[in-house]
Amino acid sequence: MLVDSPPQPQTQPPPADTVPARRQAIRAAGLLVSCGVLLLVVVASIAIGAKQIPVGDVWHGLFGNTGTDNDVVIRDLRLPRTLLGLLAGAALGLAGAVMQALTRNPLADPGLLGINAGASAAVVSAISFFGVTSLTGYVWFAFAGAAVVMVLVYVLGGVRAATPVRLALAGTAATAALYGYINAVQIMDTAALDKMRFWTVGSLASASMGTVGQVLPFIGVGIVLALMVARPLNAMGMGDDTAKALGAHVNRTRAIAMLAVTLLCGAATAACGPIVFVGLMVPHIVRSFTGPDQRWILPYATVLSPVLLLGADVIGRVVTRPAELQVGIVTALIGGPLFIFLVRRRRMAQL
């Protein structure tokens, strides 16, 4: 006689909507961890420098300030330097992520649209023709130069007919012309060359609370604008026609994104000089664990880019004590080999 076997328990697959929810939770947790890492790096930037200061004196310098030498170092030198590095790192990383999404080019960075060249051309003009010698003066000239070049590139790209290729070509042409002008002015004016070389290397050493206050509004507005276009940038990643079919306003999104990049990169470059690899490398690293969703890439890049910039600045203060190695040099030394490694790993994964 046949006996029916007892029914076997059925293993149900998880509902389809729980997988994205779980992934979103993991990404949110990772973003919180990234914020914690950033906080640790900020503390290290204030506590560690060319001059060794006990932890107790660091705390006293931040909240006591009785006028001792250590208090002056903490409040007048390291604190503004850290705040500027925090703002500039967030601005450069977010600008790079927006540029890569806007041009659909993983090798794009803010320099592709001539922003760095515009800022540099304005600074060298200010030094040579207007006698500007202070960093406070550089900020406004550099920001104005970046903004003018961005408008020029957008016009040359065709405004309403602008495409990623047109914008990249216009930016490349503007960059070549502006760097030719910069070299010509520096050759004719040795004083401009001497002053310009310290700005072009990229540094946080001359930071002050005045500079922080000047760039904060521009970077703040730029961050808000960039995060606003995260969703339409996702649609534009599938092509302009598809984005229009999905209801995205392509020209408006492109204009807002370019304005955000101008505000972010223009202000950061004006205050610190052109610092390389931050806007290029960090979005690459972020994309490897967030995927192509700009709603996560942009916040992660905003948080992790200051980690790289401030970490590089701390390394530059320590490795050559009592002298300092400028942060632009350190980011280039770190970023070059790391970026080559990331590109080779990605290429091997595609084989």
Side-chain angles (χ1 to χ4, degrees):
M1 186 171 73
L2 296 176
V3 180
D4 291 337
S5 59
Q8 300 296 320
Q10 298 279 334
T11 57
Q12 296 292 335
D17 57 350
T18 63
V19 176
R22 188 181 306 148
R23 188 179 300 124
Q24 297 284 75
I26 293 173
R27 289 171 175 171
L31 190 58
L32 289 176
V33 172
S34 300
C35 291
V37 173
L38 176 59
L39 180 60
L40 293 176
V41 174
V42 167
V43 172
S45 178
I46 296 175
I48 301 173
K51 180 181 181 181
Q52 296 184 358
I53 299 177
V55 176
D57 289 354
V58 172
W59 182 265
H60 185 271
L62 286 174
F63 301 103
N65 192 24
T66 57
T68 64
D69 290 343
N70 288 343
D71 289 347
V72 172
V73 170
I74 295 298
R75 292 180 67 93
D76 296 343
L77 298 178
R78 291 188 188 175
L79 182 59
R81 185 171 185 160
T82 300
L83 292 176
L84 184 59
L86 185 65
L87 291 173
L92 292 173
L94 185 55
V98 172
M99 276 298 307
Q100 291 175 15
L102 183 65
T103 61
R104 297 194 287 274
N105 180 0
L107 296 179
D109 71 344
L112 185 65
L113 294 186
I115 295 176
N116 288 346
S120 300
V123 170
V124 76
S125 299
I127 294 172
S128 184
F129 303 125
F130 299 100
V132 177
T133 57
S134 67
L135 181 62
T136 303
Y138 295 168
V139 168
W140 294 106
F141 276 92
F143 184 77
V148 169
V149 171
M150 178 59 79
V151 173
L152 176 63
V153 167
Y154 193 54
V155 171
L156 292 176
V159 189
R160 292 186 178 277
T163 64
V165 174
R166 284 172 177 253
L167 292 174
L169 290 175
T172 301
T175 298
L178 288 171
Y179 276 123
Y181 165 77
I182 292 169
N183 291 332
V185 172
Q186 289 180 332
I187 289 173
M188 293 186 295
D189 188 348
T190 56
L193 175 61
D194 290 338
K195 295 174 183 176
M196 188 74 178
R197 62 181 180 177
F198 294 106
W199 183 80
T200 56
V201 75
S203 174
L204 300 174
S206 300
S208 67
M209 294 305 293
T211 305
V212 172
Q214 284 180 319
V215 300
L216 178 59
F218 299 109
I219 293 177
V221 173
I223 289 174
V224 172
L225 292 176
L227 296 179
M228 281 174 51
V229 297
R231 188 181 294 272
L233 283 176
N234 277 341
M236 290 176 62
M238 296 180 284
D240 288 0
D241 293 336
T242 303
K244 291 177 182 177
L246 293 173
H249 298 277
V250 174
N251 290 326
R252 185 174 67 187
T253 300
R254 189 170 286 129
I256 294 174
M258 291 180 65
L259 176 60
V261 171
T262 303
L263 291 171
L264 292 169
C265 192
T269 303
C272 309
I275 297 176
V276 298
F277 278 112
V278 176
L280 178 63
M281 183 172 56
V282 173
H284 263 278
I285 297 174
V286 168
R287 199 176 294 111
S288 66
F289 56 83
T290 63
D293 192 344
Q294 299 300 326
R295 294 173 299 176
W296 289 103
I297 292 175
L298 300 187
Y300 264 100
T302 305
V303 173
L304 291 179
S305 296
V307 172
L308 173 62
L309 187 61
L310 289 175
D313 189 45
V314 172
I315 292 172
R317 294 185 233 170
V318 173
V319 294
T320 58
R321 279 177 174 167
E324 293 186 5
L325 195 61
Q326 304 302 330
V327 67
I329 299 173
V330 180
T331 56
L333 293 174
I334 296 175
L338 182 57
F339 187 69
I340 292 172
F341 168 75
L342 292 173
V343 172
R344 286 183 60 85
R345 189 181 68 173
R346 181 177 178 181
R347 182 179 179 183
M348 292 299 295
Q350 294 174 345
L351 293 178

